[in-house]
């Protein structure tokens, strides 16, 4: 079956940087949009950034100018480069992908913790 495996989370000081990766594996025919979401304690999961198979990326206002989403289609991988991190960026970050195998469906990674200390 399809799996999304995230890596790259951790603890960083405010102003620092982290790079998240998410690799999709399985009987994949094609990957459409890929995205990163995050969920902070006591809050709803929110969209951070999304990147279509072809086209421009979109970002939440709170991360514009600091985060960059990119993808490597040959590796079925999406990245999130996070710069100028703030304590309010602390959350579990989830990878999301719209993937076609025999049918089209949405998949989620297991999540990776990002903690930004002040």
């Amino acid at each position: 079956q399809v799996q999304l495996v995230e890596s790259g989370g951790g603890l960083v000081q405010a102003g620092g940087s982290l790079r998240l990766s998410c690799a999709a594996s399985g009987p994949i025919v094609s990957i459409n949009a890929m995205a990163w979401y995050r969920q902070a304690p006591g809050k709803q999961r929110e969209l951070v950034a999304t990147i279509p198979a072809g086209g421009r990326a979109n970002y939440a206002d709170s991360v514009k100018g600091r985060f960059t989403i990119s993808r490597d289609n040959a590796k079925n991988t999406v990245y999130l480069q996070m710069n100028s991190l703030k304590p309010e960026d602390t959350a579990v970050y989830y990878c999301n992908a719209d993937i076609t195998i025999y049918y089209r469906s949405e998949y989620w990674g297991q999540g990776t913790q990002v903690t930004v200390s002040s």
Side-chain angles (χ1 to χ4, degrees):
Q1 293 301 321
V2 173
Q3 282 191 316
L4 299 181
V5 179
E6 298 133 340
S7 61
L11 173 64
V12 64
Q13 288 189 331
S17 298
L18 283 174
R19 188 191 193 208
L20 306 183
S21 299
C22 172
S25 62
I28 296 169
V29 173
S30 64
I31 301 179
N32 306 300
M34 304 185 83
W36 288 96
Y37 286 74
R38 67 186 181 186
Q39 187 167 18
K43 294 188 177 181
Q44 290 188 333
R45 191 173 296 189
E46 64 175 355
L47 177 65
V48 175
T50 184
I51 184 168
R56 293 177 59 183
N58 287 289
Y59 298 91
D61 288 342
S62 58
V63 307
K64 280 181 181 176
R66 299 188 298 122
F67 291 10
T68 302
I69 188 172
S70 61
R71 59 192 287 173
D72 183 334
N73 293 327
K75 296 181 178 179
N76 290 337
T77 299
V78 63
Y79 305 95
L80 186 67
Q81 178 67 44
M82 304 185 293
N83 299 327
S84 302
L85 282 161
K86 304 176 181 179
E88 52 263 44
D89 294 319
T90 295
V92 177
Y93 283 71
Y94 296 91
C95 173
N96 172 276
D98 177 1
I99 296 175
T100 298
I101 46 176
Y102 303 109
Y103 50 85
R104 187 169 174 171
S105 187
E106 185 179 35
Y107 296 87
W108 290 90
Q110 80 284 359
T112 185
Q113 177 70 46
V114 171
T115 302
V116 184
S117 63
S118 58

